[in-house]
């Protein structure tokens, strides 16, 4: 086997192993209960602008 071929095979195997470990970690984290981003977001935005209390829109000034 040529020295260059051994290095190419080693790099290919290393890339496959690193990708597999990363995919496993992502799979493990994303399959936990409440792992999706919506479960960590507040139900109401505390920084949102407060609208009128009676539900009517204020008149706009042209």
């Amino acid at each position: 086997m040529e020295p260059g071929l051994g290095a190419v095979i080693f790099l290919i195997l290393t890339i496959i192993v690193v990708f597999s470990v990363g995919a496993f970690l992502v799979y493990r984290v994303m399959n936990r209960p409440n792992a999706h981003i919506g479960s960590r977001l507040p139900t109401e935005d505390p920084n949102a602008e407060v609208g009128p209390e009676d539900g009517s829109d204020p008149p706009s000034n042209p």
Side-chain angles (χ1 to χ4, degrees):
M1 188 188 304
E2 297 180 20
L5 184 60
V8 170
I9 291 173
F10 175 76
L11 287 175
I12 290 173
L13 291 176
T14 303
I15 290 170
I16 290 172
V17 168
V18 167
F19 179 77
S20 299
V21 169
F24 171 72
L25 291 175
V26 169
Y27 174 80
R28 189 181 73 164
V29 167
M30 292 307 292
N31 282 320
R32 285 190 287 166
N34 296 327
H36 51 60
I37 187 66
S39 66
R40 294 188 297 273
L41 293 176
T43 54
E44 295 181 10
D45 187 9
N47 297 326
E49 294 183 13
V50 178
E53 297 297 325
D54 60 357
S56 63
D57 291 333
S60 59
N61 295 330

